[in-house]
Each structure stands twice: as structure tokens, then as C-alpha cells.
Amino acid sequence: MNSSGTELGRILVVDDDATVRDVVGRYLRRDGHEVVEAADGEMALHLLQRRPPDLVVLDLMLPGMDGVEVCRRIRDAGSTPVIMLTALGEESDRITGLRTGADDYVVKPFSPGELALRVASVLRRARNAVEPNAGARIADGDLQVDTGARTAVLGGTSLTLATREFDLLAFFLSHRGHAYSRTELLSKVWGWEFGDQSTVTVHVRRLREKVEPDPASPRRIATVWGVGYRYDGLGD
């Protein structure tokens, strides 16, 4: 953490545009982060294997192996936070990135300053348990979540959750029975006062795929029509 309170980390920037890598790298280094760069997916995965970073800034449109496949492989290997860079106006690209497991996205052309703030926010979320039950162990039937260790276990099997997926699950478990709108969830879980509500929709869908006995007929995370979502749970 630097003098301004920003969480510091080792950031891998993956983009085939050298200018984008240079600009993003300069802003992140200015904040005190260590930055490494890759121009394609193969190099990114090599660097990830050699020394995992604290966060990856990943362009969706890469030559050869695209950003979606790189993100999928990052998720298969663990829970390293990923911020996806997507094209302006391409909602389908943003949703695809989120479905693959990206924790956040920034639309090109973007403000490097905004990206630096998003990096700090995601790093902070990745390193701190969700309030108000920081350090608590919460159970719902065969689902057990430890917010201090940031682990989730279902039926004795550890779940691989992206940073925002874990935060959302922990928040739901801590506030079961209460309905929240997508706007409220963006504020309380993502820390955004504005943003694309499809971000919440996609993360809820991904969580259901991981924690529901039948994701098509969810029993834990209920849809409250006209409002948003409510965590009902299966019971202790």
C-alpha cells in the first residue's frame, strides 16, 4: 500500500498494442505497482506460470489465442483477478468476458486514470474479506464460506471463484432473505455508484452454475422480479 492508501501489486498487462501497454504501464507504475507486459496470450500464460501476478489487465481481442481463452485458462488455474479491456459498444464482448470469469471490465477507448482506479479497487477486494462479517465462517447446508481465508467449499469440494464471485456470494450469505436490486449490488459489492447492470446478472448466473443443485431452477439465489435478487438458501 502506498502513501495514498492504494493497494499495490504486481500487474500483468496483456495487449498486442504497444502504445496501450506503454500508457497503462506508466500509469500503474506511477501508482507504485510493479508491471510486466505481454503482447499475446501465449506469452501471458508463460509469465503467469513463471510468477503469478496479483492482477491481470487483459485485452479481449488478441492475435492467436484471444482474451476469452486466456481468461478461461487463468480461471482454470486459480483465482487471479482479471480486468478485461473490451471494444466500445460491444455488449456481447463484455458479457462474454464476465461469463469467462473476468472480475471487471473497462471499455476502449478508456481513461488510464479510470483503469488505475479499477485496478486498485479489484486488488483491495481481492485482499480484504467482505464486510460486515470479515473473518466469519458462514454455512448454508453443504455450502461453507470462510470470509477470512476467502475459501468456499460445496459438498466437501473447494470452489474456484473469481474475486467478485466470492464477494457476491459472501455478501448474499451475510444478508440472506433480503432482496437487493442490481444497482444496490453494484454499489455494495463492486463499490460502483454507476455501471452496467449486466455485470451483476452475469456474476449471479456464474454463481448459480457453481452453487445451485439445478442452476436452471435456483433455490439458493432467487430472482425477485422487478427488484433483483434475494439469497434464500437451502437451510442449515
Side-chain angles (χ1 to χ4, degrees), residues 14 64 85 136 151 160 166 199:
V14 188
L85 302 181
T151 58
T160 299
F166 182 91
T199 300

Side-chain angles (χ1 to χ4, degrees), residues 4 21 27 34 43-44 58 60 76 108-109 116 124 136 140 176 190 205 207-208 231:
S4 65
R21 296 198 308 273
Y27 267 79
E34 177 187 353
M43 177 56 71
L58 176 64
L60 181 67
D76 288 343
K108 290 183 174 181
R124 184 169 57 252
D140 171 30
R176 67 181 72 187
W190 276 258
R205 183 181 301 126
L207 267 183
R208 283 172 169 166
Y231 193 94

Side-chain angles (χ1 to χ4, degrees), residues 71-209:
C71 187
R72 184 176 291 114
R73 296 194 187 191
I74 292 172
R75 277 293 151 264
D76 288 343
S79 58
T80 301
V82 175
I83 296 179
M84 190 78 82
L85 302 181
T86 69
L88 178 63
E90 294 296 331
E91 182 179 4
S92 61
D93 287 345
R94 299 198 297 274
I95 292 175
T96 296
L98 292 168
R99 283 177 177 168
T100 307
D103 297 274
D104 202 348
Y105 67 86
V106 174
V107 178
K108 290 183 174 181
F110 59 86
S111 159
E114 177 192 353
L115 176 58
L117 290 174
R118 292 290 182 91
V119 166
S121 174
V122 173
L123 279 176
R124 184 169 57 252
R125 286 281 178 177
R127 291 171 174 171
N128 295 282
V130 176
E131 297 294 345
N133 289 312
R137 294 184 178 182
I138 317 169
D140 171 30
D142 60 349
L143 174 63
Q144 299 181 10
V145 172
D146 187 326
T147 60
R150 295 186 67 84
T151 58
V153 177
L154 178 64
T157 301
S158 295
L159 297 177
T160 299
L161 300 175
T163 302
R164 300 291 192 182
E165 290 172 358
F166 182 91
D167 290 344
L168 184 59
L169 177 60
F171 181 84
F172 274 143
L173 278 165
S174 299
H175 301 84
R176 67 181 72 187
H178 188 104
Y180 290 93
S181 69
R182 292 170 179 81
T183 299
E184 289 175 317
L185 291 170
L186 276 176
S187 175
K188 294 178 180 297
V189 178
W190 276 258
W192 301 354
E193 294 310 315
F194 59 90
D196 188 345
Q197 294 185 8
S198 66
T199 300
V200 177
T201 303
V202 171
H203 277 74
V204 168
R205 183 181 301 126
R206 285 180 56 82
L207 267 183
R208 283 172 169 166
E209 291 171 354

